């Protein structure tokens, strides 16, 4: 089992950058595929980015390609989401999630979730 704690959210202006961090407990962090999800008011939760165990493969939803970068540091049990050129439509609660089932990495049914961090982008 793994516990996840996100940090780094906040209120920024359009065009600004933020870096979200997700710290994981436990000694088996490298066995988990990690994902960043977001949910805006009135909208369904969506997978924003995901990264495999060693970081060799990544996924981005189309709306963030070229602006967001997911990375991980297995020595620090941490996954990051660097967000550049933020837009008002990026406003949402961002969640970190983990699964040790590789078949789930592009889906929504990750096994472990953080509490979320609010990102608000003003125009």
């Amino acid at each position: 089992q793994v516990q996840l704690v996100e940090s780094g959210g906040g209120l920024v202006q359009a065009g600004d950058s933020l870096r979200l961090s997700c710290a994981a407990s436990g000694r088996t962090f490298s066995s988990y595929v990690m994902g960043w999800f977001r949910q805006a008011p009135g909208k369904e939760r969506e997978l924003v980015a995901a990264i495999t165990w060693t970081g060799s493969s990544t996924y981005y939803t189309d709306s963030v390609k070229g602006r967001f970068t997911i990375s991980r540091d297995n020595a620090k049990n941490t996954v990051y989401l660097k967000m550049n050129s933020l837009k008002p439509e990026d406003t949402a609660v961002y969640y970190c999630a983990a699964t040790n089932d590789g078949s789930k990495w592009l889906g929504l049914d990750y096994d472990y979730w953080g509490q979320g961090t609010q990102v608000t982008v003003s125009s």
Side-chain angles (χ1 to χ4, degrees):
Q1 193 167 0
V2 62
Q3 293 183 327
L4 305 171
V5 179
E6 303 99 333
S7 61
L11 171 62
V12 297
Q13 294 186 331
D16 285 350
S17 298
L18 278 176
R19 189 180 78 160
L20 305 183
S21 298
C22 173
S25 64
R27 296 178 290 178
T28 60
F29 177 71
S30 60
S31 68
Y32 291 94
V33 171
M34 302 299 297
W36 283 100
F37 294 76
R38 67 186 179 187
Q39 188 165 21
K43 294 188 176 181
E44 295 184 352
R45 187 172 297 187
E46 65 169 337
L47 175 63
V48 175
I51 188 167
T52 54
W53 303 270
T54 62
S56 60
S57 294
T58 56
Y59 162 85
Y60 299 95
T61 194
D62 285 346
S63 62
V64 308
K65 285 181 180 177
R67 299 190 298 122
F68 289 13
T69 303
I70 188 171
S71 61
R72 66 190 296 162
D73 186 337
N74 287 343
K76 295 183 178 180
N77 283 10
T78 302
V79 61
Y80 305 97
L81 185 67
K82 181 65 186 301
M83 305 184 293
N84 296 327
S85 303
L86 282 161
K87 303 176 180 180
E89 51 263 44
D90 295 318
T91 295
V93 178
Y94 283 71
Y95 299 89
C96 171
T99 180
N100 55 16
D101 183 346
S103 68
K104 295 182 179 180
W105 88 295
L106 297 181
L108 299 176
D109 57 344
Y110 278 48
D111 300 302
Y112 306 102
W113 294 81
Q115 81 288 350
T117 186
Q118 177 70 46
V119 172
T120 303
V121 185
S122 63
S123 58

